[in-house]
């Protein structure tokens, strides 16, 4: 079981080379297959996730959640997806059509791009970039532009306000997000995600870097636009903010991308802090799934408990609390590493 | 306002205003009937000298030939109450606004204007409040024709 | 230097946080509110004009549709106003039943207030918890009148039916469970730091302005003014009950929330006393089938509704229909301060202010 997917990939390559392809060509075909797999996993996962989120919300709010379609309402999301696909696609006449149309597409592309560097199990990584963490953060920050495109292209004041908020919020929270990861990077001594996982063979970084984990978690919530930091959407204030004018499939793409981001960031959190795919008894790829889902459940728990924070509180929290704390964490980590090195570790 | 005396106040007002003012009483309220030209003088006194700081209700009744504008005044915390009525003729339905004395009259006067068609002189923003801006007529007037 | 310009943004009438058809035209400077203009009338259905073509008893159901969140309270006010005109004395038992229903209505309305306050600030779960408990009150209303939301249970001269046997156990069990509910709201909603940060110091209304603008009810008491019509000018049999009027000091959104939390506990206290003292007997006075108050009688009757001072000004002309009926709607007048308290705040503050002023548009637009 441990090398189930690796074996499939290996036999695929052998079969392709048996057909007469060069090893480069076989790798290319494998890469395409991997991409298709990611997209498929992401889509199916989102269907499960939406069902899970509604069930979690229902559980927290003492109601049942979806329970009509299929066992425990599991097919509800599929029905919803079909509904969204068949809905009329409305583009406001005043919208900037090109920007309006491309924003959701870029958003989902960026979300899927994040999966390239995530180690999904022992050796299960599409590209093992030596700057993996850096790649992840920089690609994740691109999604700001898509929200701004959506808000601007809609030509709607609510959307524009939502887009403005998202830009301000994401810029402010990317800094603590990156800073809180720095502590881990310093201990692991590498920006490569596979090295970071390998460094957690003996001890998870959440134990060495508890403060960094908390600051990372808060900043990630803001990056994901999830409650209590869902300022750009804010359905009670901005009537869905940047997404106000989107209907049907375009809106569904945003929705899909948001959940895709959620999975990616949760997977990053488990990779950086919770030992990645390390774990006893079970295959490595099952461990990463378990850890990712645990992190996502915490995200959902937060979303369905807290009210929405106010914009100015949000900004001052980032600049006055999170950034100083993460900087102090880096300082302490650096001093600790030097001290331990001096002790001869 | 502890030693406030309603009768004393009414007597004082009667002396001051003379025949511009009439008093009456029913089971629930004592009423001050004032002619519209003296309304602001009276209201100013009621608020600033006698402490009726709370204009609870302002409305108007259509009696055919004339409109009666009714003010229910209370004082907080002394908890006294008095009513003021003034009459304007149907042809010239205009009365001074008490908006500057009690800001709460703002929307209440707009409502009376909207539904009863009484013009409040000196109101800063006398536009319809409940009905659409392009509505014609004033529905609470008794001669308002309702379409079937 | 960047050139910036103000823009207007229409909050409502189609907006999730406007509690009905409220339309606020906000002039914004970025996220800051420079000015706010309130437009009303989206649910105007001219209840005052309708009154002129309905007999006095026929008009009772219309009143529950004023404040549909606490439907017993406007009905109570109307029935008492007409009884005042007729000089009818209501039987003791009916008076107690009315108090019980009125206070349950107040609790139901305040529960929804807390829930909608939570959801307007983004805490979805808070709403569901409040609705869960409000549902028990709705069930009790259904027991008595067969109607949940707009009950029209009170009649001129009493109430329509006696309480069913199941009512008193249900009411007692609600009272017994109430401290637990409050503890839950304290944990989930009131105790939340984000919520406190969003409400404290927001939408501040000082006491003088509150009186000048005719603000009433919990919004007035949140400014520190001890003015409750149940105490100041007791109607019905409120003078027989022991309760305190909860007050706050600052008049901000947070205080408006706290005052209502406290008021629910006082209402429970009143209901408890009323249930203990509930006498046996008739529930409806002998009222003539055709009600004709004498010509020239006019009455202004006001009650402390869950939103504030709800007044009925009724003029009779000797006929069986009111000559003129005016409703002094607390929501209407409370909304007048919305622009004042929202100026200078942020867009998110105006949502909090609307939520904590607790307007019901059915009442404010009439």
């Amino acid at each position: 079981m441990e090398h189930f997917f690796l074996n499939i990939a290996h036999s695929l390559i052998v079969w392709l080379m048996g057909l007469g392809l060069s090893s480069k060509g076989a790798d290319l075909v494998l890469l395409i297959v991997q991409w298709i797999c990611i997209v498929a996993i992401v889509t199916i996962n989102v269907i499960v996730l939406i069902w899970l989120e509604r069930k979690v919300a229902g559980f927290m709010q003492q109601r049942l959640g979806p329970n009509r379609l299929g066992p425990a309402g599991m097919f509800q999301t599929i029905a919803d997806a079909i509904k969204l696909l068949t809905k009329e696609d409305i583009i406001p006449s005043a919208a900037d059509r090109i920007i309006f149309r491309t924003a959701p597409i870029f958003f989902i592309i960026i979300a899927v791009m994040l999966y390239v560097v995530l180690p999904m199990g022992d050796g299960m990584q599409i590209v093992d970039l030596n700057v993996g963490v850096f790649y992840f953060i920089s690609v994740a920050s691109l999604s700001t532009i898509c929200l701004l495109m959506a808000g601007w292209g809609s030509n709607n004041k609510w959307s524009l306000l939502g887009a403005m908020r998202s830009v301000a919020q994401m810029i402010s929270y990317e800094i603590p997000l990156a800073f809180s990861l720095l502590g881990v990077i310093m201990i692991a001594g590498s920006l490569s995600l596979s090295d970071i996982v390998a460094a957690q063979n003996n001890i998870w970084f959440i134990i060495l870097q508890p403060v960094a984990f908390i600051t990372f978690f808060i900043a990630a919530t803001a990056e994901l636009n999830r409650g209590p930091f869902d300022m750009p959407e804010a359905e009670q204030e901005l009537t869905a903010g940047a997404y106000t004018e989107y209907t049907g499939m375009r809106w569904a793409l945003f929705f899909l991308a948001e959940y895709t981001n959620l999975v990616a960031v949760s997977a990053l959190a488990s990779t950086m802090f919770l030992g990645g795919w390390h774990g006893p008894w079970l295959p490595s790829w099952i461990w990463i799934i378990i850890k990712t889902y645990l992190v996502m459940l915490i995200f959902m728990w937060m979303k369905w408990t807290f009210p929405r924070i106010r914009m100015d509180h949000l900004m001052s929290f980032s600049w006055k609390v999170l950034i100083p704390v993460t900087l102090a964490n880096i300082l302490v980590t650096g001093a600790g590493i030097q001290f331990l090195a001096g002790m001869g570790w | 306002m502890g030693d406030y005396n309603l009768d004393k106040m009414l007597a004082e007002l009667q002396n001051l205003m003379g025949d511009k003012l009439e008093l009456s009483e029913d089971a629930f309220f004592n009423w001050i009937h004032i002619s519209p030209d003296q309304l602001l003088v009276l209201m100013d006194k009621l608020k600033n000298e006698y402490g009726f700081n709370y204009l609870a209700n302002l409305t108007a009744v259509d009696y055919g030939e004339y409109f009666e504008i009714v003010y229910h005044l209370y004082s907080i915390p002394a908890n006294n109450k008095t009513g003021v009525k003034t009459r304007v003729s149907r042809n010239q339905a205009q009365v001074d606004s008490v908006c500057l004395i009690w800001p709460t009259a703002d929307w209440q006067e707009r409502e009376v204007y909207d539904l009863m068609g009484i013009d409040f002189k000196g109101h800063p923003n006398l536009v319809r409040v409940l009905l659409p801006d392009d509505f014609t007529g004033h529905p609470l007037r008794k001669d308002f024709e309702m379409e079937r | 230097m960047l050139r910036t310009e103000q823009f207007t943004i229409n909050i409502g009438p189609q907006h999730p946080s406007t509690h009905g058809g409220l339309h606020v035209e906000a002039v914004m400077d970025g996220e800051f509110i420079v000015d706010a203009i309130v437009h009303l009338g989206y649910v105007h259905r001219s209840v005052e004009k309708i009154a002129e073509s309905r007999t006095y008893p026929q008009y009772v159901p219309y009143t529950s549709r004023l404040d549909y969140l606490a439907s017993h309270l406007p009905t109570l006010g109307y029935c008492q106003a007409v009884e005042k005109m007729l000089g009818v004395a209501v039987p003791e038992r009916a008076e107690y039943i009315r108090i019980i229903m009125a206070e349950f209505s107040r609790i139901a309305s305040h529960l929804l207030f807390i829930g909608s306050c939570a959801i307007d600030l983004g805490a979805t779960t808070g709403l569901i918890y409040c609705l869960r408990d409000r549902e028990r009150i709705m069930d009790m209303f259904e027991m008595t009148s067969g109607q949940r939301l707009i009950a029209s249970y009170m009649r001129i001269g009493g109430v329509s039916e006696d309480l069913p046997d199941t009512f008193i156990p249900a009411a007692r069990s609600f009272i017994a469970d109430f401290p637990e509910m409050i503890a839950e709201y304290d944990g989930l909603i009131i105790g939340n730091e984000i919520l406190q940060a969003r409400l404290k110091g927001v939408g501040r209304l000082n006491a003088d302005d509150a009186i000048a603008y005719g603000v009433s009810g919990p919004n007035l008491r949140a400014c520190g003014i001890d003015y409750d019509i149940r105490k100041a000018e007791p109607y019905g049999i409120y003078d027989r009950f022991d309760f305190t009027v909860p007050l706050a000091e600052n008049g901000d959104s947070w205080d408006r929330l706290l005052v209502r939390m406290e008021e629910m506990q006082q209402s429970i206290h009143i209901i408890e006393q009323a249930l203990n003292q509930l006498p046996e007997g008739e529930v409806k006075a002998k009222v003539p089938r055709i009600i004709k108050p004498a010509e020239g009688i006019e009455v202004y009757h006001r009650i402390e509704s869950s939103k504030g001072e709800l007044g009925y000004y009724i003029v009779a002309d000797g006929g069986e229909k009111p000559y003129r009926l005016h409703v002094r709607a607390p929501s209407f007048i409370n909304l007048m301060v919305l622009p004042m308290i929202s100026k200078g705040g942020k867009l998110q503050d105006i949502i909090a202010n609307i939520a904590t002023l607790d307007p019901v548009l059915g009442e404010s637009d009439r």
Side-chain angles (χ1 to χ4, degrees), chain C residues 9-81:
Chain C
I9 189 160
N10 287 300
I11 305 170
Q14 302 281 338
H15 188 279
S17 301
T18 53
H19 299 209
L22 178 65
H23 176 190
V24 182
E25 193 183 325
V27 182
M28 309 277 298
D29 181 8
E31 283 263 353
F32 288 88
I33 290 175
V34 180
D35 198 3
I37 303 150
V38 182
H39 297 275
L40 288 174
Y42 289 91
V43 259
H44 178 64
R45 53 215 186 278
S46 71
V47 291
E48 294 179 11
K49 188 72 180 173
I50 291 172
E52 293 172 15
S53 58
R54 296 285 183 279
T55 63
Y56 288 94
Q58 272 177 348
Y59 191 64
V60 172
Y62 287 92
T63 56
S64 5
R65 282 146 180 87
L66 284 171
D67 181 355
Y68 39 77
L69 301 180
S71 70
H72 286 298
L73 287 162
T75 319
L76 174 72
Y78 174 72
C79 292
Q80 285 186 335

Side-chain angles (χ1 to χ4, degrees), chain A residues 41-53 56 74 115 217 259 262-270 274 285-301:
Chain A
I41 289 169
V42 160
T43 325
I44 294 164
N45 200 24
V46 164
I47 288 177
V48 177
L49 259 185
I50 293 173
W51 172 81
L52 185 72
E53 172 126 47
V56 168
M74 284 192 95
Y115 287 77
F217 203 85
Y259 277 98
L262 173 66
V263 180
V265 170
S266 304
L268 183 74
S270 23
L274 301 178
W285 46 274
I286 290 189
W287 269 113
I288 193 94
I289 291 174
I290 291 173
K291 287 171 183 173
T292 307
Y293 265 77
L294 270 178
V295 176
M296 277 191 288
L297 281 173
I298 302 175
F299 275 123
M300 289 178 187
W301 182 18

Side-chain angles (χ1 to χ4, degrees), chain C residues 43 45 47-48 50-51 56-80 101-102 105 108-109 134 138 141 145-156 160 303 305-307 310 312 325 327 331 360-364 366:
Chain C
V43 259
R45 53 215 186 278
V47 291
E48 294 179 11
I50 291 172
Y56 288 94
Q58 272 177 348
Y59 191 64
V60 172
Y62 287 92
T63 56
S64 5
R65 282 146 180 87
L66 284 171
D67 181 355
Y68 39 77
L69 301 180
S71 70
H72 286 298
L73 287 162
T75 319
L76 174 72
Y78 174 72
C79 292
Q80 285 186 335
M101 302 314 273
S105 285
S109 168
R134 178 173 171 269
M138 292 289 129
F141 288 173
S145 62
Q147 265 279 17
R148 294 163 67 79
L149 193 66
I150 32 181
S152 305
Y153 175 56
M154 296 183 193
R155 293 284 186 278
I156 296 164
S160 68
I303 66 163
S305 117
S306 59
K307 311 289 182 291
L310 176 70
Y312 285 92
L325 185 144
V327 186
S331 301
V360 167
L361 273 293
E363 186 182 66
S364 83
R366 278 159 288 160

Side-chain angles (χ1 to χ4, degrees), chain C residues 139-358:
Chain C
D139 287 343
M140 280 187 257
F141 288 173
E142 194 179 356
M143 284 175 203
T144 53
S145 62
Q147 265 279 17
R148 294 163 67 79
L149 193 66
I150 32 181
S152 305
Y153 175 56
M154 296 183 193
R155 293 284 186 278
I156 296 164
V159 295
S160 68
E161 301 268 339
D162 202 351
L163 294 176
D165 296 337
T166 47
F167 180 84
I168 290 175
R172 291 227 186 256
S173 89
F174 184 86
I175 293 171
D177 294 347
F178 196 69
E180 209 178 304
M181 299 172 194
I182 291 283
E184 249 176 3
Y185 308 147
D186 275 339
L188 182 65
I189 306 169
I190 312 290
N192 189 300
E193 276 190 35
I194 298 176
L195 187 112
Q196 294 186 5
R198 286 226 22 209
L199 293 180
K200 277 183 183 162
V202 168
R204 202 156 180 172
L205 180 64
N206 68 45
D208 294 336
D209 280 339
I211 292 180
Y213 276 88
V215 172
S216 53
N219 298 335
L220 181 67
R221 293 191 282 278
C223 309
I225 294 161
D226 185 359
Y227 193 70
D228 186 322
I229 299 168
R230 290 176 293 176
K231 287 270 190 201
E233 199 182 345
Y235 52 94
I237 51 166
Y238 269 108
D239 43 356
R240 297 185 200 168
F241 297 106
D242 164 51
F243 64 99
T244 54
V245 179
L247 295 177
E249 280 168 13
N250 297 323
D252 55 8
S253 291
W254 172 244
D255 281 353
R256 292 194 277 271
L257 180 65
L258 285 190
V259 162
R260 285 182 173 90
M261 280 295 282
E262 193 57 42
E263 250 180 41
M264 292 201 297
Q265 313 216 23
Q266 293 300 326
S267 293
I268 284 288
H269 190 44
I270 295 173
I271 295 170
E272 228 173 349
Q273 296 172 53
L275 283 174
N276 290 336
Q277 298 169 16
L278 187 67
E280 290 299 318
E282 287 288 302
V283 294
K284 198 162 188 291
K286 293 269 175 289
V287 179
R289 194 158 286 256
I290 295 168
I291 293 174
K292 280 187 178 178
E295 187 177 356
I297 287 194
E298 54 178 74
V299 65
Y300 178 68
H301 181 70
R302 54 190 199 140
I303 66 163
E304 183 71 30
S305 117
S306 59
K307 311 289 182 291
E309 175 179 339
L310 176 70
Y312 285 92
Y313 176 66
I314 309 179
V315 180
D317 63 348
E320 57 186 31
K321 296 170 184 168
Y323 183 74
R324 170 90 171 93
L325 185 144
H326 175 71
V327 186
R328 190 261 191 217
S331 301
F332 180 70
I333 291 164
N334 288 350
L335 265 178
M336 216 185 300
V337 293
L338 180 65
M340 193 174 78
I341 63 177
S342 300
K343 263 178 215 171
K346 293 160 199 75
L347 181 68
Q348 286 180 300
D349 292 343
I350 203 171
I351 305 292
N353 290 338
I354 295 172
T356 55
L357 280 179
D358 194 20

Side-chain angles (χ1 to χ4, degrees), chain A residues 55-66:
Chain A
K55 276 290 186 193
V56 168
F59 170 70
M60 292 188 64
Q61 300 178 350
Q62 311 193 336
R63 54 192 176 84
L64 291 173

Side-chain angles (χ1 to χ4, degrees), chain A residues 57 59-63 157-158 161 164-165 228 230-231 234-239 303-313, chain C residues 7-11 15-17 30-31 119-125 128-129 132 192 194-195 197-198 202 346-349 351:
Chain A
F59 170 70
M60 292 188 64
Q61 300 178 350
Q62 311 193 336
R63 54 192 176 84
K157 287 167 188 166
W158 295 111
L161 267 178
M164 273 162 47
R165 283 180 177 189
D230 53 348
M231 228 66 55
E235 59 271 273
Q236 288 93 357
E237 291 145 18
L238 298 185
T239 62
K303 172 169 179 162
W304 294 105
T305 308
F306 290 129
R308 185 175 305 110
I309 195 167
R310 203 168 78 193
M311 195 62 206
D312 54 326
H313 294 160
Chain C
F7 65 104
T8 56
I9 189 160
N10 287 300
I11 305 170
H15 188 279
S17 301
E31 283 263 353
I119 195 173
D120 285 352
L121 302 181
T124 327
T125 306
I128 311 282
Y129 273 65
R132 175 199 66 191
N192 189 300
I194 298 176
L195 187 112
R198 286 226 22 209
V202 168
K346 293 160 199 75
L347 181 68
Q348 286 180 300
D349 292 343
I351 305 292

